[in-house]
Amino acid sequence: MINQKNSPIIQVQDLTIAYGDFVLLKDISFSVNKGDIFIIMGGSGCGKSSLLRVLTGLTPAAGGKIDINGVDFVRATPDQRSRLMQKCGILYQSGALFSSMTLAENIALPLQQYTTYSPQLIKELVSLKLALVGLTGFEDFYPSEISGGMKKRAGLARALALDPEIVYFDEPSAGLDPISSKLLDDLIREINQSLGTTIVIVTHELESILSIGTNSIFLNCDTKNIDGRGNPRELLRRPPNQTVYNFLTRGGQMICQNNPTKE
């Protein structure tokens, strides 16, 4: 069955994340639609990266359900999880490139592991993915020979190697200067629009949140739940509470007009 744009590709129901007796997030529910640039935002320590780790299978959930393309990821068998994750790409904060491999070798790795493509076809696909992220001609460079922004783009090329339906980003702008961050945002938007890839991003960078996000959730440390959801620009125009307003305005200089707690 082919997912249509605006239909859920990820559905999270009553998800709880805990480390031993410490509950980080409790009974959260949300949906990511196909074609979304979905932002997971909130203050430091609210559980953004932990949620991403659970969504990608790196950390087990304490309870609840994660439905990805009709399969319950929490209770899936190892084989089912492996098949699901082959349709997903992940860009980590540092890019997570193998330092002993060239960019071409890094990007070829998932193609060599998960396909039966010929070496020539893999070489052509590697060149295509590097061209997609603006790194044509850098096939033989090592990660130590390129800038931080280029490492992020090379990591994105590797995340796109298997033509995933979903790409997860963990703080993609971390460590980048404003210009490199803007270029990466533009690239994320282009990939989303041209390939129809669903994007899930953990970030606290307001410029990125407001410029490329089409849907979002705001995690609150105090409630251990979701305090706001929807298009980030709409949340800024009509914030559901003072906490969301303060976050989206870096503290704000005025009281939110729509704040339900305002006296």
Side-chain angles (χ1 to χ4, degrees), residues 101-105 123 130 135 137-143 145:
M101 294 181 175
T102 65
L103 300 192
E105 290 169 340
K123 183 177 179 180
L130 283 171
L135 289 176
F138 287 87
E139 285 85 351
D140 296 327
F141 281 63
Y142 287 88
E145 298 175 317

Side-chain angles (χ1 to χ4, degrees), residues 115-252:
T115 74
T116 57
Y117 297 158
S118 68
Q120 180 58 35
L121 179 55
I122 289 176
K123 183 177 179 180
E124 292 172 2
L125 289 172
V126 166
S127 295
L128 176 64
K129 301 307 179 183
L130 283 171
L132 185 64
V133 300
L135 289 176
T136 297
F138 287 87
E139 285 85 351
D140 296 327
F141 281 63
Y142 287 88
S144 62
E145 298 175 317
I146 59 178
S147 69
M150 294 169 73
K151 289 178 185 176
K152 290 289 180 78
R153 284 188 277 150
L156 178 54
R158 187 178 61 187
L160 294 170
L162 295 174
D163 297 320
E165 296 180 48
I166 306 166
V167 177
Y168 298 97
F169 291 78
D170 186 11
E171 299 283 4
S173 299
L176 298 183
D177 61 83
I179 293 175
S180 297
S181 180
K182 172 66 164 57
L183 290 173
L184 184 58
D185 283 347
D186 292 343
L187 180 57
I188 290 171
R189 185 190 293 110
E190 181 181 342
I191 289 169
N192 169 258
Q193 293 177 349
S194 62
L195 302 180
T197 308
T198 301
I199 308 289
V200 179
I201 305 177
V202 164
T203 186
H204 63 273
E205 294 289 339
L206 284 182
E207 289 191 16
S208 297
I209 290 169
L210 296 173
S211 65
I212 66 174
T214 63
N215 199 358
S216 70
I217 54 172
F218 179 88
L219 302 179
N220 187 308
C221 297
D222 296 327
T223 64
K224 303 182 186 298
N225 211 291
I226 296 170
D227 249 18
R229 63 183 76 222
N231 186 294
R233 292 176 293 283
E234 183 60 27
L235 286 178
L236 179 59
R237 284 192 292 267
R238 297 179 177 275
N241 54 59
Q242 192 70 41
T243 304
V244 173
Y245 175 78
N246 287 345
F247 178 87
L248 292 174
T249 59
R250 297 192 187 277

